Amino acid sequence: WPGAVQAVNGRANEAGADREARGLLLAPRLEAALLEQDGPMRVSCLAAEPPVIQCLMLREWLRSGGIRPPGRRRLEASIAAFVRAAPDRAPEMSWPEGRVARFGDQLYRLPVVWPSVPDNEVVKGPEPRTWPGLGTLSWRPDAGQAGLVPTWLDAGVTARVMRPGDRLQIPGRPRRALKSLFRQAGIPPWPRRHLPTPVDAVDQPLAVPGIGVDARAAASGDAVALAPVRAPAERPAATDWHDSQT
């Protein structure tokens, strides 16, 4: 028995030494790859490493966010998809314990289950309005084309989330798909699903927080106007939800 105990202790010490060595190997790589301490990971830094280091980096990054990593095969296949994806693509990896998505040059750890989206609601007047899972929509005093003509709110508008095919014409620019405007503004796909968007009587967007106001509803000159501001709801249990104020 003493020999068996000694052997077990020896293996435990070796495993501890292996973990320490792995930590020393990964620490400088993770520090260079993360946008901020324990934040999203740069895909370009991950791509610069050999496959075995890529897997170790991604596993350690997931564990640091309290997420159990998936199996090796799924991890390797997903890393390949993340690294090879075109700049305008947003591939995802999901498994029962977690979800990771790419946007631009970053990987984000996201909720396994997305927050629910409430029904449409009529907004009348500039008072802040809060929706569970969406956040709070308020209106900042502004002037000219940066804001909405206040009479739109006096009459009442409907607020809903973005839908496929939505378009917006920012004053002085051609009408464009909201999807393109979001991408240009650097807003990832997941916060887009939770942006309260005021629409008119024919369900066309009037203003989008973080993007702008449609030309037909924008104030002119130095006229008094109201610009939409959205404060996000309490963020879900996901390390890199990164749903900031817009």
Side-chain angles (χ1 to χ4, degrees), residues 157-191:
V157 297
T158 298
R160 61 163 174 78
V161 295
M162 187 187 81
R163 293 175 181 168
D166 279 348
R167 303 175 72 84
L168 196 76
Q169 183 177 4
I170 296 174
R173 304 183 193 176
R175 184 171 296 276
R176 295 182 61 190
L178 274 184
K179 181 178 179 180
S180 299
L181 294 172
F182 280 129
R183 187 183 300 120
Q184 183 179 358
I187 300 176
W190 42 96

Side-chain angles (χ1 to χ4, degrees), residues 17-35:
D18 287 345
R19 285 194 297 270
E20 184 178 358
R22 188 163 57 246
L24 292 173
L25 175 70
L26 295 178
R29 289 174 165 83
L30 287 171
E31 183 178 357
L34 300 185
L35 290 174

Side-chain angles (χ1 to χ4, degrees), residues 33 35 40-44 61 101-108 190:
L35 290 174
M41 178 181 287
R42 291 185 178 90
V43 177
S44 54
W61 177 65
R102 174 177 176 171
F103 180 71
D105 187 41
Q106 285 83 48
L107 293 180
Y108 297 85
W190 42 96

Side-chain angles (χ1 to χ4, degrees), residues 69-80:
R72 178 179 59 83
R73 289 185 178 179
R74 175 169 292 184
L75 203 63
E76 290 175 347
S78 298
I79 289 172

